[in-house]
Amino acid sequence: MKRLSGILMPMSSLPSPYGIGTMGKEAYRFVDFVKASGQKYWQLLPLGPTSYGDSPYASFSTFAGNPYYIDLDMLVEDGLLKEEDLAGINWGTNPEYVDYGKVYESRYTVLRKAFQNGWETLKPEIRAFREENRSWLENYALYMAVKANFGMISWTKWPDEEIRLHKEAAVRQYAEALKDNVDFYVFIQYLFFQQWEKLRAYAHEQGVEFIGDVPIYVALDSADVWSEPKYFQLDQDNIPIEVAGVPPDQFTDEGQLWGNPLYNWDVMKADGYGWWIRRIKKKKKLYDMIRIDHFRGFESYWAVPNGDKTAKNGKWRPGPGFSLVGMLGQWFFDLKFIAEDLGYVVPEVKKLREDSKWPGMCVLEFAFYPDSDSDYLPHNIRPDSICYMGTHDNDTALGWVESLDEESREFAREYMHITEDEGWCWGMIRTGMATSSQLFVVQMQDVLELGHYARMNTPGNAVGNWQWRMKEDALTDELAEKLYHYTELYRRLPEVPKVEVEEEEETEQQEEAETTSK
């Protein structure tokens, strides 16, 4: 793989007049910035519909798109909304933060108007979309319609046991009774994927590709678990027996209790991992490279008894290993993967990653401990790796520097040759660009030199995450030129698409021929 670089920027963090980033003009503008700054990739957080807590890693569906990201101005342009439909709505008062409560209150009301205006007109297109996505879309739309019918409570608490257990007769009954709402949620997904396909086509025209994040687990409160319980470790009432997490480590004394249902790997393997094939096949239509979050869970996973308040009492259990990873590599041979192998990596996990031939991850913010020769120190970083300054789970570079003890800060400063003129953010960008990693990715917050307040997520904190947004005037030509300089200096510029080069050569040959004839 050629040396390349990219920017990690959540869709939710883009500016927009509607409280949260969308797939509208600011997304196209960001693609232009990615190109102008010499980057190849725009890395996103998961694009699925978010549930309680607003985490993109806890979605109502691993297949569906987030209705919040549908651009409303585009719906006006398409005749599905009128400008007055958007007037006077309070989407939040601070343009640098997402107010999810305000967005939730208003977004579905506006989309319902678009549905009422466009359903009949778009029926043929929606019918084709519905057929193409039947394997997941019908269950998702029904799940959301039933969920709305019961006041948005988790499906595990639905008062009708027949539909809670996804009984066939109840599914038919509710699909008919709630048909209008089912159609509404189908319509929303149609809008999402229509806008995404246009954005992705534009990005590809500019030579920009997308890296997408696929969490290893899905949320309990999701259409995935409700509609296909056989693939998960559930009891006779479809309640998890054990749940996911990670054990105590240097960052958390009690570990991290994620609470996701665990997979029934025996059933999945007997089925040829069909669920995973369908999942990645859908993601391939969204992304050009996929980062598998918590890759180590494929080798072995931490299983915590359901009901425990911490992750301390969990046990390691064997995962599917290369039987799944190798199958994904063969099935999707033309798709690039990243293995998120952070944390304490045992030899078995290292071997699984090496056997997969997927690059692992290195994070500069984890590297600078004076008494340690960390694998993440630049002189130890492998070429078959993706280097990040920090991920969505890390503080911004400036926030990280402030949190360091004096000895670690001085070690990092001396190692990376940080100067007052260049500053910590650009000194770390330079350091990451200079590593031997095949790909270097920087958070947009660090390109903008933002402090701790712009941190995207603090693991273990249930509130205050996923809120940061970029200011509307943040993307400047000067900023793009500065990042382009560092990218060019360390030989990470993308190659010019071959077709463009051939067209230029043909033009030059025509001009020479015309000059000769004259």
Side-chain angles (χ1 to χ4, degrees), residues 273-445:
Y273 297 112
W275 185 90
W276 275 91
I277 291 172
R278 286 188 282 121
R279 188 185 195 193
I280 301 302
K281 185 177 180 180
K282 186 63 179 177
K283 300 306 180 186
K284 186 181 177 183
K285 293 184 178 181
L286 296 175
Y287 312 124
D288 304 285
M289 184 184 297
I290 288 177
R291 171 187 178 271
I292 300 291
D293 193 53
H294 196 58
F295 174 83
R296 80 100 64 237
F298 285 154
E299 191 279 324
S300 56
Y301 58 92
W302 190 248
V304 182
N306 190 20
D308 277 17
K309 302 302 182 183
T310 74
K312 291 194 294 186
N313 297 322
K315 290 183 172 56
W316 287 112
R317 304 197 186 281
F322 195 73
S323 68
L324 172 58
V325 173
M327 182 278 299
L328 291 178
Q330 291 179 356
W331 192 278
F332 300 100
F333 62 90
D334 56 345
L335 181 62
K336 297 183 284 286
F337 288 91
I338 300 171
E340 188 272 283
D341 57 346
L342 302 174
Y344 180 66
V345 180
V346 296
E348 293 82 2
V349 175
K350 181 179 178 181
K351 183 178 186 307
L352 180 60
R353 190 201 61 77
E354 290 174 347
D355 290 345
S356 73
K357 297 185 169 50
W358 298 351
M361 288 177 55
C362 300
V363 177
L364 292 182
E365 288 188 17
F366 291 157
F368 296 97
Y369 302 97
D371 299 327
S372 171
D373 188 28
S374 168
D375 289 341
Y376 302 154
L377 282 168
H379 68 268
N380 286 329
I381 290 178
R382 313 175 311 271
D384 64 331
S385 66
I386 313 298
C387 178
Y388 290 79
M389 276 176 61
T391 74
H392 63 277
D393 284 335
N394 294 113
D395 207 336
T396 64
L398 292 184
W400 169 76
V401 170
E402 291 177 0
S403 71
L404 293 176
D405 61 76
E406 185 175 349
E407 185 180 9
S408 297
R409 187 182 301 113
E410 287 309 307
F411 171 55
R413 185 195 305 276
E414 184 175 1
Y415 187 105
M416 293 187 284
H417 305 288
I418 304 296
T419 65
E420 187 173 341
D421 287 343
E422 186 179 39
W424 277 96
C425 289
W426 288 97
M428 291 183 72
I429 289 173
R430 168 179 47 76
T431 301
M433 288 282 189
T435 64
S436 61
S437 287
Q438 59 185 254
L439 177 63
F440 169 66
V441 179
V442 57
Q443 289 196 95
M444 191 63 205
Q445 296 98 307

Side-chain angles (χ1 to χ4, degrees), residues 181-362:
N181 236 11
V182 171
D183 288 344
F184 170 60
Y185 286 105
V186 169
F187 179 78
I188 289 176
Q189 290 305 303
Y190 169 79
L191 295 181
F192 176 91
F193 286 103
Q194 284 291 302
Q195 290 194 1
W196 174 260
E197 288 170 8
K198 290 177 182 178
L199 176 61
R200 190 182 185 196
Y202 178 79
H204 284 180
E205 288 172 3
Q206 309 310 309
V208 173
E209 296 184 359
F210 289 100
I211 300 175
D213 213 341
V214 176
I216 186 173
Y217 295 120
V218 298
L220 172 61
D221 189 14
S222 68
D224 311 299
V225 183
W226 169 69
S227 64
E228 299 189 277
K230 67 179 181 179
Y231 292 125
F232 301 89
Q233 296 183 32
L234 309 176
D235 64 17
Q236 69 274 9
D237 294 318
N238 285 359
I239 302 301
I241 301 166
E242 294 177 315
V243 296
V246 290
D249 57 19
Q250 65 201 58
F251 302 106
T252 55
D253 293 335
E254 296 183 341
Q256 294 181 40
L257 183 61
W258 297 338
N260 306 77
L262 298 166
Y263 295 113
N264 188 329
W265 289 119
D266 291 338
V267 171
M268 285 192 158
K269 185 175 182 179
D271 189 35
Y273 297 112
W275 185 90
W276 275 91
I277 291 172
R278 286 188 282 121
R279 188 185 195 193
I280 301 302
K281 185 177 180 180
K282 186 63 179 177
K283 300 306 180 186
K284 186 181 177 183
K285 293 184 178 181
L286 296 175
Y287 312 124
D288 304 285
M289 184 184 297
I290 288 177
R291 171 187 178 271
I292 300 291
D293 193 53
H294 196 58
F295 174 83
R296 80 100 64 237
F298 285 154
E299 191 279 324
S300 56
Y301 58 92
W302 190 248
V304 182
N306 190 20
D308 277 17
K309 302 302 182 183
T310 74
K312 291 194 294 186
N313 297 322
K315 290 183 172 56
W316 287 112
R317 304 197 186 281
F322 195 73
S323 68
L324 172 58
V325 173
M327 182 278 299
L328 291 178
Q330 291 179 356
W331 192 278
F332 300 100
F333 62 90
D334 56 345
L335 181 62
K336 297 183 284 286
F337 288 91
I338 300 171
E340 188 272 283
D341 57 346
L342 302 174
Y344 180 66
V345 180
V346 296
E348 293 82 2
V349 175
K350 181 179 178 181
K351 183 178 186 307
L352 180 60
R353 190 201 61 77
E354 290 174 347
D355 290 345
S356 73
K357 297 185 169 50
W358 298 351
M361 288 177 55
C362 300

Side-chain angles (χ1 to χ4, degrees), residues 4-166:
L4 295 166
S5 54
I7 301 174
L8 171 55
M9 175 65 169
M11 184 69 72
S12 61
S13 297
L14 292 170
S16 92
Y18 305 116
I20 193 169
T22 71
M23 296 178 284
K25 67 177 183 179
E26 291 294 341
Y28 287 78
R29 187 167 169 237
F30 192 75
V31 168
D32 293 340
F33 178 84
V34 171
K35 178 183 179 181
S37 61
Q39 309 309 296
K40 178 65 176 178
Y41 291 104
W42 175 0
Q43 180 167 339
L44 294 154
L45 300 186
L47 293 173
T50 50
S51 60
Y52 177 78
D54 311 307
S55 170
Y57 293 86
S59 176
F60 288 140
S61 168
T62 189
F63 297 95
N66 193 331
Y68 294 166
Y69 301 154
I70 296 170
D71 187 69
L72 303 181
D73 288 331
M74 286 184 168
L75 299 188
V76 173
E77 293 171 5
D78 293 339
L80 298 176
L81 291 174
K82 297 178 181 178
E83 290 187 3
E84 51 262 37
D85 292 330
L86 307 177
I89 297 175
N90 182 2
W91 301 99
T93 58
N94 189 337
E96 293 188 70
Y97 289 93
V98 179
D99 186 333
Y100 284 99
K102 296 295 185 184
V103 173
Y104 176 77
E105 286 174 11
S106 302
R107 172 63 60 147
Y108 288 96
T109 301
V110 172
L111 290 176
R112 176 68 70 171
K113 291 180 181 179
F115 169 65
Q116 292 166 348
N117 293 333
W119 176 255
E120 290 298 328
T121 305
L122 294 171
K123 255 187 178 179
E125 293 91 337
I126 295 172
R127 188 180 300 114
F129 171 77
R130 202 165 189 161
E131 184 60 36
E132 181 184 354
N133 295 278
R134 186 165 296 278
S135 64
W136 65 270
L137 181 57
E138 297 303 324
N139 273 319
Y140 168 72
L142 177 59
Y143 160 83
M144 291 302 298
V146 177
K147 191 174 181 65
N149 184 65
F150 289 135
M152 297 303 289
I153 61 175
S154 170
W155 68 267
T156 60
K157 299 178 181 178
W158 288 352
D160 185 338
E161 183 169 318
E162 294 297 298
I163 192 63
R164 183 178 71 78
L165 296 177
H166 200 261

Side-chain angles (χ1 to χ4, degrees), residues 466-485:
W466 319 111
Q467 294 179 324
W468 172 74
R469 295 177 69 201
M470 181 173 67
K471 289 184 177 180
E472 189 173 3
D473 60 355
L475 301 181
T476 64
D477 293 342
E478 293 75 18
L479 189 64
E481 290 170 5
K482 187 173 184 178
L483 186 55
Y484 185 98
H485 169 72

